[in-house]
Amino acid sequence: MYKEDVDLLIIGAGMAGLTAGARAVRDGLSVVIVEIGEDVGGSARFAGYAWTAPSHDVMEQHNPSGDSALKRALVDRFDDGISWIRSLGVEAKDAQRVLSFGCGHQFDTNHYVDTCRRLIVEGDGELLLETDAEGLVVEDRVVAGADLRTADGTRRRVRARATLLATGGFQGDLALRAAHVHPAADRMQLRSNPHSRGGGYRLATRAGAAAGHDNAGFYGHLIPSGIPFADPADFVDMSLYYSEHALLLNLRGDRFVDETLGDHLTAMALLEQPEGRGLLIADARVFRDWIVGSYVEGAVAVDKYALASKRGGRVGLAEDLDELAFLPEEWGYDAETVRTAVRQFNEHAAAGKDPVPGRELDHLPLDEPPYYVIETVPAITFPFHGLRIDDRARVLGEDARPIGGLLAAGSDTGGLWHRAYAGGIASALVFGLTAADTARAATYHT
């Protein structure tokens, strides 16, 4: 029997939505969960780690402009999130280092989302696939549910004491990307599921929700230029994580960012460079230690250079530094400028001088030939601009006060990250659980 009045309506069945749904059902709440796609899981199916900053100090160092309350909540509740995963019978491996500063756990995200779905359905929750939320029901400035259109075109209203938006961001919508990420953001390849097209963002802003800053950036990675993703496995296989140990030169042949701080940060910086493309240059040391190595312990190692070459990307192998002067003219770079830039970097590194921009983590020269060259561009996974929430996952209005009955979690939210990043799966997990707890408190209070 269809449920027309529930404790919690969840719009979006990715990591955040399924987490909230499973927690709510376990707590005895009635739940309807809506997903526009043909299956649950969203982009979480392409992930494999939950990680974040291990302390408030580290979070502050790497994400100084993020919302203070959200940052504290993420760090403080992360361990409880891992305990929740394990409580469902899903293995989360022992903590390990992620990037240069993070700490997290590898786990089977497919097992996790499928387990959450099973718990929701077995707990008498209703799951509606290929169903769109056309509008929120707003009564006396309180969100009281949503109007839905199901797969067969049937329209249906579900009333709810709490409504959670967890549609995964707006990275699949080119216009929203260009408006809120960067004017050139619509050129980037989508490193994500295709269904996250701003559904939650539009529903909430039409109801008066506040959104974060337009210059907050995005999470993504560098990929070889000119190679379309063939399937979701490419999201990892084509990502050039080793860029943290290489040199990145823009179209003018200039370094413009500290590459060592992280490929996810370098991707944001490259988008803002001329034509949003550049040359990633590594030597034999970087190839040996990082290009054909695992990004994090337990990940499958992929030869990124060989794969880019096989797939028809712009790649080149220079047997020595002088051969960098023979870059193909049609690529559009001044080859002599490129060679000079690498030579000068090596001279400064060998002499112990700081390059400009600096190199905080990997100070070694790139002086072991041959040289591996890949032209690279950024790809987007999700934007950092999104709905403003408080640390109880309540959506805030333009007056900075919570909008009654409306919650948000995961990549629909903004404010947590600002030109910085420390774990999207962790955020979806923590604030998905938080949203369920807030819904439970509202239900029992009522």
Side-chain angles (χ1 to χ4, degrees):
M1 180 180 294
Y2 290 151
K3 293 181 172 66
E4 303 299 345
D5 193 332
V6 297
D7 296 318
L8 178 60
L9 170 63
I10 302 171
I11 302 173
M15 182 72 186
L18 289 169
T19 295
R23 172 80 139 222
V25 165
R26 270 204 167 185
D27 288 342
L29 273 63
S30 56
V31 172
V32 169
I33 184 165
V34 173
E35 168 59 41
I36 197 169
E38 298 176 354
D39 193 11
V40 303
S43 295
R45 290 200 179 275
F46 315 138
Y49 294 82
W51 72 277
T52 193
S55 69
H56 297 303
D57 287 344
V58 173
M59 177 67 82
E60 189 64 26
Q61 177 186 354
H62 289 273
N63 183 28
S65 299
D67 181 279
S68 296
L70 300 183
K71 290 188 295 187
R72 294 195 68 83
L74 178 56
V75 173
D76 288 343
R77 301 170 194 167
F78 178 69
D79 286 345
D80 288 341
I82 299 302
S83 295
W84 161 258
I85 292 173
R86 290 170 171 160
S87 77
L88 303 188
V90 177
E91 180 188 10
K93 294 185 178 180
D94 292 342
Q96 65 181 88
R97 180 177 176 177
V98 180
L99 296 183
S100 62
F101 66 91
C103 183
H105 305 261
Q106 185 180 23
F107 73 111
D108 186 338
T109 51
N110 284 286
H111 184 198
Y112 176 76
V113 299
D114 289 336
T115 299
C116 286
R117 170 172 54 186
R118 177 178 55 79
L119 289 173
I120 292 167
V121 173
E122 291 180 354
D124 201 31
E126 185 178 1
L127 171 62
L128 299 173
L129 298 176
E130 297 181 89
T131 297
D132 190 19
E134 296 188 320
L136 297 176
V137 177
V138 182
E139 299 172 351
D140 297 325
R141 299 183 181 179
V142 173
V143 173
D147 290 319
L148 311 178
R149 180 169 50 82
T150 61
D152 63 3
T154 301
R155 283 180 164 77
R156 171 181 167 192
R157 173 168 289 189
V158 175
R159 301 183 62 82
R161 277 157 284 290
T163 299
L164 170 63
L165 301 175
T167 64
F170 58 74
Q171 59 271 14
D173 187 286
L174 300 184
L176 286 176
R177 274 203 252 163
H180 299 297
V181 176
H182 187 275
D186 57 351
R187 296 200 305 247
M188 289 189 288
Q189 281 205 68
L190 182 62
R191 189 180 175 273
S192 160
N193 82 85
H195 300 299
S196 294
R197 298 190 292 266
Y201 183 86
R202 290 190 175 91
L203 289 170
T205 52
R206 286 201 296 263
H213 302 293
D214 283 347
N215 65 344
F218 65 95
Y219 171 61
H221 285 288
L222 298 179
I223 62 171
S225 67
I227 305 177
F229 290 132
D231 59 56
D234 281 347
F235 297 164
V236 172
D237 290 349
M238 299 298 292
S239 292
L240 304 177
Y241 304 124
Y242 73 88
S243 68
E244 298 165 18
H245 303 276
L247 294 183
L248 181 61
L249 307 180
N250 65 15
L251 200 56
R252 296 188 294 263
D254 298 326
R255 286 185 63 239
F256 54 91
V257 68
D258 181 349
E259 302 92 340
T260 71
L261 295 182
D263 179 76
H264 58 295
L265 300 181
T266 306
M268 284 188 281
L270 182 57
L271 178 63
E272 298 172 347
Q273 295 300 303
E275 299 185 22
R277 60 189 178 105
L279 295 180
L280 199 57
I281 302 175
D283 69 348
R285 171 185 66 88
V286 173
F287 178 84
R288 181 176 59 249
D289 294 346
W290 300 103
I291 292 182
V292 296
S294 296
Y295 183 50
V296 291
E297 183 181 345
V300 176
V302 175
D303 185 336
K304 309 286 186 172
Y305 179 83
L307 182 59
S309 178
K310 179 181 178 181
R311 297 279 291 273
R314 282 183 168 176
V315 304
L317 182 67
E319 292 299 333
D320 55 34
L321 199 58
D322 287 337
E323 279 199 10
L324 287 175
F326 295 98
L327 286 170
E329 185 176 345
E330 62 269 20
W331 288 15
Y333 300 84
D334 185 291
E336 183 57 42
T337 301
V338 169
R339 180 180 67 170
T340 299
V342 178
R343 185 181 68 244
Q344 289 180 346
F345 172 84
N346 286 341
E347 290 172 352
H348 287 168
K353 298 179 180 178
D354 291 331
V356 179
R359 298 266 289 186
E360 183 173 323
L361 299 178
D362 188 334
H363 305 283
L364 296 175
L366 272 69
D367 58 0
E368 185 181 338
Y371 291 90
Y372 299 81
V373 181
I374 301 179
E375 185 179 61
T376 184
V377 294
I380 185 171
T381 304
F382 68 87
F384 295 153
H385 175 91
L387 305 174
R388 297 305 303 267
I389 62 170
D390 65 9
D391 62 358
R392 293 171 57 187
R394 300 179 300 180
V395 175
L396 303 178
E398 296 290 351
D399 60 359
R401 298 171 59 185
I403 297 175
L406 189 60
L407 310 172
S411 299
D412 278 349
T413 67
L416 174 59
W417 312 120
H418 190 97
R419 312 292 298 186
Y421 177 72
I425 290 292
S427 171
L429 172 66
V430 164
F431 288 102
L433 293 172
T434 298
D437 293 345
T438 298
R440 179 186 59 193
T443 297
Y444 291 163
H445 178 74
T446 301

